[in-house]
Amino acid sequence: MSSHREAPEISKDPVADNTDVYAFVSPDKPDTVTLIANFIPFQNPQGGPNFYEFGDDVHYEIKISNSGDAGDPDVAYRFSFSTVIRNAGTFLYNTGPITSISDETWNRPQFYTVSRYERGKGWKTLAKHLPCPPVNVGPRSTPNYSTLAAQAVHRIAGGRTVFAGQRAEGFHVDLGSIFDLGTLRPFEMAHLIPSATAVGVNGTQGLNVHSIALQVPKTDVTARNVRPTDVGAAASVIGVWASASRQKVRVIKRGGRGSVSSGPFQQVSRLGNPLFNEVITPMAEKDEWNAEAPSDDSQYARYVARPELAGLLPVLYPGVFPNLAAYTKDRADLVAILMTGIPTGVVPGFQNYTGSNQADMLRLNLAVPPTASPNPIGLIAGDAAGFPNGRRPIDDVVAIELRAVAGATIPLVDPSFTPDGASSGLTDGTTNTNPPFLDSFPYLGTPAGGYQTTPGTPGGAT
Amino acid sequence: MADATRRGFLAAAGTGTAIAVVATAGRAAAAPRSNEEALEALEGAVLVAFIDDPGSGVVSVMVGEDEVEIHDPALVRRLVKAAGGKA
């Protein structure tokens, strides 16, 4: 998964589990940038009566580094939540149809405060008591859900727009296959344990997530608030990551009297580039990685330079990746893409370099305009508005990263290398089979409804 | 623990001991508060004392969103003894 349940500890704390981060120039408002962080993976839409919600005891943050000091936040946005029970005498999530997000029939509304941090100025509250939408329960409880959820798009001070609530999962991946010894169904005839080629199965189909989303003027996130117009300028590039933090101590009171949290907030989850902690960091270091700041990521650079997956591909697919198997140099291409950004001169007319400090961040060159017809393969397919220049919902990050790890991007830094033929077409065979992305903020699709969603088909129970 | 007792605990611990208020909420946080400011914020708060390494003589007291580190080997020994350990 991009970063769903990617580390042992956070897999036991889904409310704080950061699953995906997106950062892109808004296609319909190109003077703005959209930043989205998803949490709470694998939401079965039918998961009532206590449906999914953000944690009131979690600080959710999206952070931006813009000063060349990669991995240290210069700007940050914090979402903190509070939940109310309106009718203490019922077990119901809603006591009638919810036709407006202010309806009293929603028995457990959730609200949030948005704050902004700027280096040297500290934290400032931007807006308070903003309502989330309810989850998509079904046609009787939450009729006309897309219209209902649209009421939770809030325009706040400074030309900013925010949303926090349930969305359709936009990340697609063949989970069942990939975690069965690295199988890619379209290529499984060539697997060490072969079987007939098959189409990919989207493991996130029918599932929802919870998103915090911001759309802000580009000048809200750039150094010295400059308007980015020059692709070649360092000031046009920002680094983005998200995190979730909990207070150090939680004490459960005797006799069901609830719990109390105390002490400073400690980061328990973070995410920049998709799949970094998932498939690059060794399992024994994943929890520590989640607690670290990106500015300290140089300690993980050796895993990027010698990725385990690049060693596994030639073993799992014998004879398919001979050139990759013979490549013994450090993977400077991956270090650049994931940890420093791509410097000028590597990809003609493009750069998203943030300096020599190695940090896992999504790097977005804000001067690159949105593409009218986005290519899901992004930059390596010639679409400079896509991953790894930031990340759009449409970007097929599994295919892009599979191809990069398999050697497709080595020639960017080492022209003597010839990628194996298979590397340019690697894919898990999935596409987005969830509700479609929206044309406007918050872009991620309308979440699947509990009543309307059919459970999956059990298999392999023999 | 009553609030007055909590105040007394920190105040007593602060006599002749080293106290540090640990920075809160990571690098993107406001400046660390002084010990006096942290004590001011105690009213109605819950305190949790945490000893990670009894040999260090340090008690970490969680209060609100702060962590106050108290270097007081005698206090640590008393707490360890009260918890049934060897002081």
Side-chain angles (χ1 to χ4, degrees):
Chain A
M1 297 295 282
S2 177
S3 189
H4 305 52
R5 297 174 52 81
E6 93 290 353
E9 280 304 311
I10 200 63
S11 69
K12 302 163 193 163
D13 186 7
V15 166
D17 187 358
N18 189 181
T19 63
D20 279 286
V21 177
Y22 303 91
F24 52 95
V25 176
S26 313
D28 53 332
K29 293 184 178 176
D31 286 340
T32 70
V33 58
T34 297
L35 309 170
I36 305 171
N38 290 346
F39 297 86
I40 319 177
F42 292 113
Q43 293 180 21
N44 181 338
Q46 302 152 29
N50 296 291
F51 287 99
Y52 304 90
E53 62 190 21
F54 292 104
D56 288 358
D57 52 356
V58 177
H59 278 174
Y60 300 93
E61 294 177 342
I62 296 175
K63 297 170 181 167
I64 296 100
S65 182
N66 63 26
S67 62
D69 195 8
D72 271 340
D74 297 293
V75 175
Y77 301 92
R78 176 182 295 162
F79 290 62
S80 45
F81 293 85
S82 60
T83 306
V84 174
I85 298 176
R86 285 185 166 130
N87 180 350
T90 178
F91 74 91
L92 295 168
Y93 181 77
N94 54 294
T95 54
I98 306 170
T99 57
S100 160
I101 58 171
S102 59
D103 274 1
E104 294 290 317
T105 50
W106 183 16
N107 197 33
R108 195 174 165 85
Q110 190 162 45
F111 303 91
Y112 63 102
T113 295
V114 184
S115 307
R116 181 178 184 274
Y117 167 85
E118 187 169 333
R119 187 195 291 259
K121 294 183 178 177
W123 287 97
K124 178 184 176 185
T125 300
L126 298 178
K128 290 181 176 178
H129 206 63
L130 299 171
C132 299
V135 300
N136 190 356
V137 177
R140 293 166 188 79
S141 294
T142 50
N144 304 313
Y145 188 81
S146 59
T147 303
L148 179 66
Q151 296 173 18
V153 173
H154 303 289
R155 286 165 183 81
I156 61 173
R160 306 175 183 100
T161 304
V162 296
F163 172 87
Q166 192 179 45
R167 291 285 89 193
E169 174 65 271
F171 176 70
H172 56 85
V173 62
D174 193 336
L175 283 172
S177 178
I178 283 179
F179 290 132
D180 187 19
L181 285 179
T183 307
L184 301 169
R185 292 186 213 254
F187 303 95
E188 60 189 348
M189 72 297 186
H191 195 277
L192 187 64
I193 306 172
S195 57
T197 296
V199 297
V201 175
N202 181 12
T204 68
Q205 181 171 299
L207 303 178
N208 297 325
V209 292
H210 263 56
S211 304
I212 60 173
L214 284 154
Q215 188 169 73
V216 300
K218 290 176 178 175
T219 52
D220 208 35
V221 295
T222 54
R224 299 176 303 283
N225 307 111
V226 298
R227 184 178 301 279
T229 55
D230 178 5
V231 174
S236 296
V237 181
I238 59 171
V240 180
W241 71 100
S243 67
S245 303
R246 289 185 175 281
Q247 286 183 278
K248 262 193 169 178
V249 177
R250 178 179 179 227
V251 177
I252 300 171
K253 295 182 181 178
R254 187 181 301 166
R257 292 183 297 119
S259 63
V260 61
S261 295
S262 191
F265 279 81
Q266 300 291 303
Q267 183 178 294
V268 296
S269 179
R270 71 156 158 138
L271 178 58
N273 282 295
L275 300 162
F276 190 106
N277 202 28
E278 177 97 16
V279 301
I280 290 176
T281 313
M283 186 178 290
E285 297 180 46
K286 286 175 184 284
D287 295 332
E288 181 183 338
W289 187 95
N290 265 330
E292 299 271 11
S295 54
D296 295 327
D297 277 345
S298 61
Q299 63 187 305
Y300 304 106
R302 65 186 188 277
Y303 303 127
V304 180
R306 302 275 172 164
E308 181 182 7
L309 184 57
L312 287 173
L313 283 173
V315 175
L316 292 173
Y317 296 88
V320 177
F321 300 101
N323 296 349
L324 178 66
Y327 195 72
T328 57
K329 300 176 188 174
D330 280 353
R331 294 295 302 273
D333 58 320
L334 298 179
V335 172
I337 290 169
L338 298 175
M339 303 200 76
T340 63
I342 300 169
T344 299
V346 175
V347 176
F350 176 78
Q351 62 90 21
N352 62 359
Y353 186 64
T354 56
S356 60
N357 192 44
Q358 296 172 324
D360 172 40
M361 307 185 294
L362 273 179
R363 289 170 173 83
L364 175 61
N365 189 319
L366 293 163
V368 176
T371 311
S373 300
N375 187 324
I377 303 301
L379 184 66
I380 64 173
D383 180 358
F387 184 79
N389 185 34
R391 180 184 173 191
R392 304 166 297 192
I394 197 173
D395 289 334
D396 186 349
V397 293
V398 172
I400 296 169
E401 292 196 352
L402 275 172
R403 294 173 194 191
V405 169
T409 50
I410 294 176
L412 292 175
V413 298
D414 185 355
S416 69
F417 178 78
T418 301
D420 296 297
S423 69
S424 62
L426 272 184
T427 174
D428 66 346
T430 64
T431 56
N432 179 32
T433 51
N434 280 327
F437 301 121
L438 309 181
D439 292 331
S440 59
F441 186 82
Y443 300 102
L444 297 180
T446 302
Y451 176 86
Q452 300 95 325
T453 299
T454 305
T457 307
T462 57
Chain B
M1 183 183 287
D3 289 335
T5 308
R6 291 189 207 108
R7 277 185 179 279
F9 172 75
L10 262 192
T15 306
T17 62
I19 298 182
V21 181
V22 178
T24 61
R27 295 168 190 231
R33 296 195 294 172
S34 69
N35 182 48
E36 289 71 25
E37 288 170 327
L39 288 170
E40 281 295 311
L42 276 179
E43 198 62 46
V46 171
L47 276 75
V48 179
F50 173 63
I51 301 172
D52 189 35
D53 174 12
S56 69
V58 173
V59 186
S60 296
V61 179
M62 312 295 167
V63 52
E65 295 185 11
D66 287 310
E67 178 178 1
V68 182
E69 285 191 351
I70 305 162
H71 186 255
D72 187 339
L75 175 62
V76 171
R77 280 195 296 274
R78 288 203 302 278
L79 289 170
V80 169
K81 192 175 179 181
K86 283 186 177 178

